[in-house]
Amino acid sequence: MRRYSRITGTGSYLPPRRLTNADLVDELGQRGIETSDEWIVERTGIRARHFAAPDVTCSDMGVEAARNALQAAGLDPTDIDLIIVATSTPDMVFPSAACILQNKLGANGCPAFDVQAVCSGFIYALTVADSMIQSGAARRALVVGSEVFSRILDFNDRTTCVLFGDGAGAVVLEASDTPGILSSDLHADGKHVDILCVPGNVSGGQVLGDPLLKMDGQAVFKLAVGLLEKAAHAVLAKAGLQESDIDWLIPHQANIRIMQGTARKLKLPMDKVVVTVDQHGNTSAASIPLALDHAVRTGQVQPGQTLLLEGVGGGFTWGAVLLKL
Ligand code: UT7
């Protein structure tokens, strides 16, 4: 009998400090940076975001999301035999945020590692965990997306600093006789490194190069919709399903216009799209599990429904996962 993996619990965490556009416009205004609530809402759909306190790390938020997911699955930390954290803003250069999170959670001993695929990170991590469960290498995995993008934002660059927020989301993925994850599709094209990157690095005890996020927003935008459409069609074809079989699209929450464009290409009405970008901003690898947990806990998505998760981001990376909840 084929072995599948299935999401049995979801969780999330948002840091308490919430900034509306008006709050951010005020803070940026004090630095002489001009922006407005109207511009941010019209171009992105974002109305608010959360920022972590200075002493809060990726693993701190990730472990809260993980605890919530474990509780939803009815499991203890020691039941977990694999931990994958998707992040581009880990606590340290090394060890991985996954190892630090594992110790905080009390799940010591199981394999734990980070996946770095920026805003596609959760899709990558979920696919790796699914493969390890299918192969028999793991039975109960914790897959976390956690980001503190506020640490890598240039608050003198209005074209990027209004877009991102902090937070974490997690799922418990368990081996099952029935699906679960139906199909996945991952891609990367390294020739687009420069359009979305944090170019700095640590060398000889110093940070060399600029350690803040740089993005050519229009270039990213132009690539995103087409790549997301291709990934969606690839996972549908692999699973033998049609666009009309999708109950919910849960896309990476970067920009409402990208989500509307993707939905249009897939002939899905916007009331089949889970939208949290208005309240969370772009939380990179955390955005999909945050949106999923929100949709599960509000009863928007229901057990047995077919969900299309998809992400796109720095690398360039992109991918999709089709699953039955
Ligand atoms: O998570 C990874 C994936 N990332 C994304 O998906 C982001 C993709 N890109 C985008 O979402 C959009 O390209 C942005 C939201 C980043 C920008 O929207 P846009 O419609 O492409 O705006 P634009 O870059 O064409 O800028 C239009 C105008 C410019 O002024 P001029 O040159 O027309 O006078 C900008 O200087 O808007 C100006 N502008 C701003 N104005 C007020 C840029 N940022 C701001 C701002 N406030 N914060």
Side-chain angles (χ1 to χ4, degrees):
M1 189 189 291
R2 189 176 158 191
R3 186 172 152 118
Y4 295 97
S5 74
R6 183 170 205 118
I7 291 176
T8 56
T10 66
S12 62
Y13 176 81
L14 288 164
R17 185 168 173 238
R18 178 176 182 270
L19 279 93
T20 62
N21 287 347
D23 298 331
L24 192 59
V25 168
D26 269 2
E27 283 199 12
L28 293 173
Q30 286 164 29
R31 292 167 170 263
I33 305 296
E34 232 181 88
T35 182
S36 66
D37 174 51
E38 294 72 34
W39 190 94
I40 302 170
V41 171
E42 190 188 309
R43 302 288 177 132
T44 72
I46 299 167
R47 293 178 186 275
R49 75 287 292 139
H50 292 247
F51 283 160
D55 58 339
V56 169
T57 64
C58 166
S59 69
D60 287 333
M61 295 194 300
V63 79
E64 295 298 334
R67 286 189 184 115
N68 291 337
L70 283 169
Q71 194 180 32
L75 295 179
D76 292 323
T78 49
D79 295 324
I80 292 298
D81 60 9
L82 170 67
I83 297 175
I84 308 181
V85 176
T87 188
S88 300
T89 48
D91 302 32
M92 303 180 184
V93 172
F94 71 81
S96 66
C99 287
I100 301 168
L101 181 149
Q102 183 211 50
N103 189 47
K104 286 177 181 165
L105 192 62
N108 306 59
C110 70
F113 57 92
D114 289 358
V115 161
Q116 217 272 40
V118 202
C119 302
S120 313
F122 185 76
I123 297 294
Y124 268 63
L126 196 59
T127 301
V128 172
D130 173 50
S131 303
M132 289 180 72
I133 287 176
Q134 282 191 51
S135 75
R139 235 194 114 64
R140 288 178 174 144
L142 195 54
V143 185
V144 181
S146 183
E147 300 279 19
V148 269
F149 258 54
S150 59
R151 304 270 153 81
I152 54 167
L153 294 180
D154 179 352
F155 286 97
N156 292 313
D157 176 6
R158 69 176 183 173
T159 68
T160 53
C161 72
V162 300
L163 305 175
F164 295 89
D166 301 336
V171 301
V172 172
L173 198 66
E174 293 192 62
S176 164
D177 292 340
T178 54
I181 292 187
L182 301 167
S183 57
S184 62
D185 189 57
L186 298 181
H187 296 275
D189 186 348
K191 77 168 174 280
H192 299 297
V193 163
D194 293 339
I195 64 172
L196 180 46
C197 61
V198 176
N201 65 86
V202 177
S203 176
Q206 290 180 350
V207 176
L208 299 186
D210 194 335
L212 299 176
L213 183 146
K214 307 271 169 270
M215 179 166 73
D216 177 344
Q218 284 196 9
V220 171
F221 198 113
K222 274 182 199 146
L223 279 171
V225 177
L227 295 176
L228 289 171
E229 182 196 4
K230 272 193 195 156
H233 284 141
V235 286
L236 286 169
K238 285 181 195 179
L241 295 181
Q242 315 291 320
E243 290 162 342
S244 54
D245 294 317
I246 300 168
D247 292 307
W248 288 99
L249 171 63
I250 308 187
H252 169 49
Q253 308 282 317
N255 186 321
I256 191 70
R257 293 186 292 139
I258 295 178
M259 291 187 247
Q260 288 163 340
T262 312
R264 231 179 348 257
K265 296 227 179 216
L266 299 178
K267 300 180 201 73
L268 290 176
M270 278 308 282
D271 59 11
K272 286 193 166 192
V273 183
V274 173
V275 176
T276 52
V277 70
D278 55 333
Q279 295 304 317
H280 302 165
N282 179 347
T283 58
S284 191
S287 93
I288 296 169
L290 259 166
L292 173 63
D293 185 50
H294 171 83
V296 167
R297 283 175 196 263
T298 56
Q300 201 176 11
V301 303
Q302 294 290 328
Q305 288 190 322
T306 301
L307 312 185
L308 173 62
L309 278 43
E310 53 177 16
V312 60
F316 221 58
T317 56
W318 66 98
V321 170
L322 190 68
L323 62 89
K324 269 210 182 300
L325 195 61

